[in-house]
């Protein structure tokens, strides 16, 4: 990612810290094989090659609720995915679905068959950043470069170098003009105590600007997004910072009540941040509060997401809300998750009139299908594997992709 195993509201989990402390993303030469997309041990002895077959359901049945409305997967594959619950470790674009892992592998969205594979593609937990029809990743050679790749083919189409004075540049966000990276600043003895945030031109690869961050800040644990002329990011030091994307100058910064394992959402001129019982919206221009919403006593808001102009957020009491992101006005509030005794989602996508939410835990969790107009829980898909990894969800509008550990399921949207 994100971003998330289930953790107490007082601090990041050990798994979360491990994920965010990983090195830069990596890619090597395009591989000819399909390693990482086959079973080590066949699920079905009759298949012989160890592959989950297109059109076959997961052997566990894929249904977790008694109403048995969860669909049978169109296909299921065992992948090379190594994830820690970050919502940008699974992406669907250009008729391929890509999971973060080694090898980095793209599967055909229709069949689940491998389209391309690259060894040393992405380190565990690293984000898959998409922009300008390009997948941006740090070099696997740790040579200070960042590369851009065509998602449909895996072909390299762009490369940039921040400079020899910097180590391990890590892409954190991208927009239509620039790729934003954070890197360590090297000292004469090869050590590093400070870091820099920089913008690379997504056309030429030239450095547009670089700004040294304050002492004490870390290059790990960055969650970032771009909205218009504002680059917004959080870190493990409980900082919420906004910079001007043209100049790199800091616009404002403020402390948050929690570290960034809980992500924020951006919409138009606002950044929306969960802060325990409060969900607060701050103006990107000056950091002033525009609106806030409170949950029940002793509750806390989870990860918010703006999907097709509607803000969706769940809380620890398993209440799900749909809000107008500009005003905080409630569109609907649903207790369907609590009524069904299932876990609250932390990641959302939408296909047609259905909102899909991925949860953090396996038992009582999975991928929820929710009526986007009412908040009614339609069904929950769960592979019943008992895997401790958080669920991840993505969609191409026709299919919904549910990743759980190394199992990737394609569900009809």
């Amino acid at each position: 990612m994100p971003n998330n195993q289930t953790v107490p509201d007082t601090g990041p989990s050990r798994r979360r810290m491990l994920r965010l402390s990983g090195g830069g993303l990596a890619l090597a030469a395009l591989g000819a094989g399909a390693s990482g997309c086959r079973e080590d041990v066949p699920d079905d002895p009759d298949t012989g090659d160890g592959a989950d077959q297109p059109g076959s359901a997961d052997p566990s049945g894929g249904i977790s609720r008694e109403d048995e409305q969860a669909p049978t997967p169109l296909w299921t594959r065992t992948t090379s995915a190594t994830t820690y619950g970050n919502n940008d470790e699974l992406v669907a674009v250009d008729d391929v679905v890509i999971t973060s892992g080694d090898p980095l592998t793209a599967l055909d969205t229709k069949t689940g068959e491998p389209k391309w594979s690259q060894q040393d593609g992405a380190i565990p937990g690293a984000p898959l950043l998409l922009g300008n029809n390009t997948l941006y990743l740090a070099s696997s050679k740790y040579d200070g470069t960042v590369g851009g790749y065509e998602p449909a083919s895996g072909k390299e189409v762009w490369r940039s170098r921040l400079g020899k004075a910097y180590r391990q540049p890590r892409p954190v966000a991208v927009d239509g003009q620039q790729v934003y990276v954070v890197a360590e600043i090297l000292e004469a003895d090869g050590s590093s105590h400070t870091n820099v945030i920089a913008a690379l031109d997504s056309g030429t690869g030239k450095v547009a600007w670089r700004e040294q961050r304050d002492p004490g800040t870390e290059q790990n644990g960055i969650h970032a997004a771009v909205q218009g002329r504002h680059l917004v990011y959080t870190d493990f030091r409980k900082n919420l910072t906004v910079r001007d994307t043209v100049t790199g100058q800091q616009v404002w910064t403020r402390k948050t009540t929690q570290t960034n394992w809980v992500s924020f959402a951006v919409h138009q001129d606002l950044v929306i941040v969960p802060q325990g019982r409060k969900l607060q919206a701050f103006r990107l221009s000056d950091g002033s509060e525009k609106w806030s919403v409170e949950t029940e006593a002793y509750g806390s808001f989870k990860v918010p997401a703006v999907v097709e102009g509607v803000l969706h957020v769940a809380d620890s009491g398993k209440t799900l809300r749909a809000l107008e992101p500009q005003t905080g006005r409630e569109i609907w509030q649903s207790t369907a998750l609590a009524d069904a005794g299932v876990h609250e989602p932390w990641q959302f996508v939408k296909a047609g009139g259905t909102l899909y939410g991925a949860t953090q835990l396996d038992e009582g969790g999975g991928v929820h299908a929710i009526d986007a107009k009412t908040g009614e829980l339609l069904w929950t898909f769960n592979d019943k594997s008992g895997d401790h990894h958080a669920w991840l969800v993505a969609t191409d509008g026709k299919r919904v992709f549910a990743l759980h550990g190394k199992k990737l399921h394609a569900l009809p949207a």
Side-chain angles (χ1 to χ4, degrees):
M1 44 119 297
N3 328 156
N4 308 314
Q5 296 295 320
T6 296
V7 293
D9 289 338
T10 56
S13 68
R14 183 175 183 273
R15 181 173 296 280
R16 172 70 175 166
M17 293 287 288
L18 177 62
R19 183 188 69 75
L20 289 168
S21 64
L25 298 176
L27 271 174
L30 181 65
S35 59
C37 298
R38 296 290 184 237
E39 298 277 14
D40 294 330
V41 179
D43 280 344
D44 183 349
D46 293 336
T47 63
D49 65 354
D52 299 305
Q53 296 301 304
S56 64
D58 185 85
S60 62
I63 296 174
S64 66
R65 296 186 67 215
E66 293 180 359
D67 58 14
E68 298 186 349
Q69 293 180 11
T72 297
L74 300 171
W75 52 260
T76 292
R77 288 287 183 270
T78 296
T79 72
S80 59
T82 308
T83 65
Y84 293 89
N86 194 1
N87 60 9
D88 46 18
E89 293 174 321
L90 173 69
V91 296
V93 61
D94 291 347
D95 297 324
V96 296
V97 56
I98 307 172
T99 62
S100 179
D102 185 11
L104 184 69
T105 305
L107 304 181
D108 187 287
T109 55
K110 294 181 180 179
T111 67
E113 293 300 315
K115 294 291 290 290
W116 55 264
S117 180
Q118 299 195 22
Q119 293 292 333
D120 302 319
I123 64 168
L128 303 174
L129 294 179
L130 291 169
N132 312 305
N133 298 316
T134 303
L135 175 67
Y136 293 100
L137 301 167
S139 171
S140 62
K141 298 178 181 179
Y142 295 95
D143 56 2
T145 65
V146 178
Y149 301 82
E150 187 178 74
S153 67
K155 177 183 177 182
E156 182 178 309
V157 293
W158 179 88
R159 184 160 292 275
S160 177
R161 184 182 181 88
L162 183 59
K164 293 183 178 180
Y166 307 97
R167 180 171 59 192
Q168 297 184 6
R170 303 167 187 179
V172 294
V174 60
D175 61 18
Q177 291 77 42
Q178 296 175 150
V179 181
Y180 303 90
V181 301
V182 174
E184 299 173 353
I185 300 174
L186 286 175
E187 304 293 339
D189 61 359
S191 65
S192 178
H193 309 289
T194 54
N195 62 93
V196 65
I197 188 163
L200 308 175
D201 189 290
S202 59
T204 65
K206 293 182 179 179
V207 178
W209 52 258
R210 61 171 69 91
E211 293 287 333
Q212 182 171 332
R213 299 176 67 215
D214 293 338
T217 57
E218 302 176 21
Q219 67 272 18
N220 300 316
I222 301 291
H223 173 76
V226 184
Q227 183 67 18
R229 192 168 168 167
H230 297 100
L231 171 65
V232 191
Y233 57 93
T234 57
D235 59 29
F236 272 154
R237 308 290 288 192
K238 299 185 180 181
N239 297 306
L240 174 65
T241 303
V242 175
R243 288 185 180 272
D244 188 300
T245 58
V246 176
T247 66
Q249 293 298 305
Q250 183 172 291
V251 179
W252 57 267
T253 188
R254 67 185 301 150
K255 288 291 183 180
T256 62
T257 59
Q258 300 180 23
T259 49
N260 77 314
W261 82 85
V262 176
S263 302
F264 56 81
V266 292
H267 181 72
Q268 294 184 11
D269 62 337
L270 299 177
V271 54
I272 303 163
V273 187
Q275 306 224 70
R277 283 192 62 199
K278 276 190 173 183
L279 184 68
Q280 293 178 285
F282 302 107
R283 290 179 175 86
L284 289 171
S285 58
D286 58 14
S288 62
E289 182 181 298
K290 184 173 181 181
W291 59 259
S292 67
V293 174
E294 288 192 8
T295 187
E296 299 296 327
Y298 309 111
S300 60
F301 281 105
K302 301 302 180 181
V303 179
V306 177
V307 183
E308 295 186 7
V310 177
L311 175 65
H312 301 279
V313 64
D315 64 33
S316 58
K318 301 180 182 179
T319 296
L320 182 62
R321 291 172 174 84
L323 308 173
E324 288 185 351
Q326 283 300 108
T327 64
R329 185 185 72 84
E330 188 173 283
I331 300 172
W332 51 255
Q333 183 178 137
S334 173
T335 61
L337 301 177
D339 296 341
V342 296
H343 291 297
E344 67 277 4
W346 66 276
Q347 183 194 12
F348 300 93
V349 298
K350 186 180 178 184
T354 303
L355 184 70
Y356 298 90
T359 73
Q360 295 177 344
L361 296 179
D362 180 63
E363 185 179 355
V367 172
H368 301 314
I370 300 160
D371 188 305
K373 292 184 178 180
T374 66
E376 176 189 358
L377 180 62
L378 304 176
W379 48 260
T380 297
F381 173 82
N382 191 310
D383 58 14
K384 297 184 179 180
S385 66
D387 193 294
H388 67 277
H389 286 87
W391 286 79
L392 297 173
V393 66
T395 184
D396 62 358
K398 299 176 182 178
R399 289 157 288 267
V400 175
F401 304 98
L403 178 64
H404 190 211
K406 293 186 178 299
K407 285 283 188 178
L408 179 61
H409 310 275
L411 307 174

